């Protein structure tokens, strides 16, 4: 029997994380939120919504929260898949369910979300250009022909997740993860997903400026 853990890193997401957790629990029975030093009550709100919560005493960054979540999920000997899902409400649970199904079917060991494989996501021309350049740079550096190198919706089988060790605590963890996958060489596919841009999610890190920061990090770190 399979058991999927959903890992949700969060930092001051109190206004939205309750609904995100409830939505996930409609499809997945095991949801862990990694509270990365929030000061707005996110931790209690996620618990009340039904999630397991692991607290970082101080803010360490999204990469550290993801690594904590992976480690927590892998402590469950029944874990067969791990899904990472953002706390700001930008991902769709239906996309997540379909990605996990592709692993459970044996089609792939890693399924990576891409907002560029269908037309659902509304992306500005400039942001699209920045993310395309980031994907090209990632392909050049790793050999992985990704169309979207910075998408937080990802699914791994447990064996692959156990070999991931993120050391970049901030946004650079995304490129670090791709580099590690390129070395591990799992069977991977991309899956079309919709990113729901709201004023809230843009303020939390989906702005064009944030994309430029990611690109700068890739090129000059």
């Amino acid at each position: 029997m399979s058991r999927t853990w959903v890992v949700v890193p969060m930092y001051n997401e109190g206004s939205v994380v309750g609904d995100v957790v409830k939505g996930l629990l409609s499809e997945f029975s095991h949801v862990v939120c990694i509270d990365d030093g929030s000061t707005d009550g996110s931790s209690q709100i996620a618990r009340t919504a039904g999630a397991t919560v692991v607290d970082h005493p101080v803010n360490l960054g999204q990469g550290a929260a993801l690594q904590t979540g992976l480690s927590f999920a892998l402590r469950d000997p029944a874990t067969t898949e791990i899904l990472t899902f953002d706390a700001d409400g930008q991902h769709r649970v239906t996309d997540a369910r379909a990605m996990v199904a592709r692993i459970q079917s044996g089609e792939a060991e890693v399924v990576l979300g891409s907002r560029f494989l269908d037309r659902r996501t509304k992306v500005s021309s400039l942001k699209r250009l920045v993310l395309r350049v980031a994907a090209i740079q990632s392909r050049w550096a790793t050999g992985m022909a990704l169309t979207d190198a910075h998408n937080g919706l990802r699914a791994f089988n447990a064996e692959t997740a156990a070999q991931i060790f993120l050391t970049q605590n901030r946004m650079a963890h995304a490129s670090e993860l791709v580099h590690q996958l390129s070395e591990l060489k799992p069977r991977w596919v991309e899956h079309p997903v919709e990113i729901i841009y709201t004023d809230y999610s843009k303020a939390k890190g989906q702005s064009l400026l944030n994309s430029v920061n990611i690109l700068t990090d890739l090129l000059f770190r």
Side-chain angles (χ1 to χ4, degrees):
M1 179 174 291
S2 64
R3 176 175 294 178
T4 303
W5 273 96
V6 182
V7 172
V8 184
M10 64 180 182
Y11 176 66
N12 287 342
E13 306 279 11
S15 64
V16 295
V17 72
D19 287 339
V20 169
V21 169
K22 291 175 184 175
L24 284 167
L25 288 172
S26 69
E27 288 287 340
F28 301 98
S29 298
H30 299 83
V31 177
V32 58
C33 293
I34 311 303
D35 184 52
D36 194 31
S38 296
T39 57
D40 69 342
S42 293
S43 182
Q44 185 55 50
I45 292 168
R47 282 191 179 90
T48 300
T52 300
V53 177
V54 176
D55 294 299
H56 283 175
V58 296
N59 180 243
L60 297 175
Q62 191 178 39
L66 281 173
Q67 187 58 53
T68 297
L70 294 176
S71 298
F72 176 88
L74 289 167
R75 291 178 63 185
D76 181 349
T79 298
T80 49
E81 302 88 26
I82 299 175
L83 178 84
T84 66
F85 195 98
D86 286 358
D88 60 5
Q90 67 171 289
H91 295 152
R92 288 194 177 278
V93 175
T94 51
D95 289 334
R97 181 74 262 175
M99 290 169 69
V100 171
R102 294 182 75 172
I103 291 182
Q104 291 172 336
S105 72
E107 177 186 1
E109 296 164 320
V110 175
V111 181
L112 303 171
S114 173
R115 76 201 84 185
F116 299 119
L117 294 181
D118 62 21
R119 296 180 179 275
R120 288 180 293 164
T121 302
K122 308 304 178 187
V123 186
S124 71
S125 297
L126 191 52
K127 186 179 180 72
R128 181 182 295 271
L129 175 62
V130 170
L131 291 174
R132 290 290 195 192
V133 171
I136 291 170
Q137 192 279 340
S138 179
R139 180 175 186 172
W140 175 79
T142 68
M144 293 181 69
L146 297 172
T147 61
D148 190 356
H150 285 78
N151 196 307
L153 188 51
R154 314 174 183 97
F156 310 91
N157 69 357
E159 291 75 15
T160 302
Q163 299 178 73
I164 294 170
F165 184 71
L166 298 174
T167 60
Q168 296 288 336
N169 289 342
R170 303 293 169 181
M171 294 307 295
H173 74 274
S175 50
E176 181 186 28
L177 176 57
V178 175
H179 277 272
Q180 291 189 18
L181 291 177
S182 71
E183 294 174 355
L184 293 171
K185 303 186 185 308
R187 289 181 291 112
W188 66 274
V189 294
E190 285 189 307
H191 186 86
V193 302
E194 181 179 13
I195 301 298
I196 305 167
Y197 294 111
T198 63
D199 290 343
Y200 177 81
S201 68
K202 290 176 183 176
K204 289 294 292 187
Q206 288 299 323
S207 65
L208 177 60
L209 177 60
N210 190 59
S211 299
V212 172
N213 289 337
I214 290 171
L215 187 57
T216 301
D217 176 74
L218 283 168
L219 295 175
F220 298 105
R221 71 185 175 88

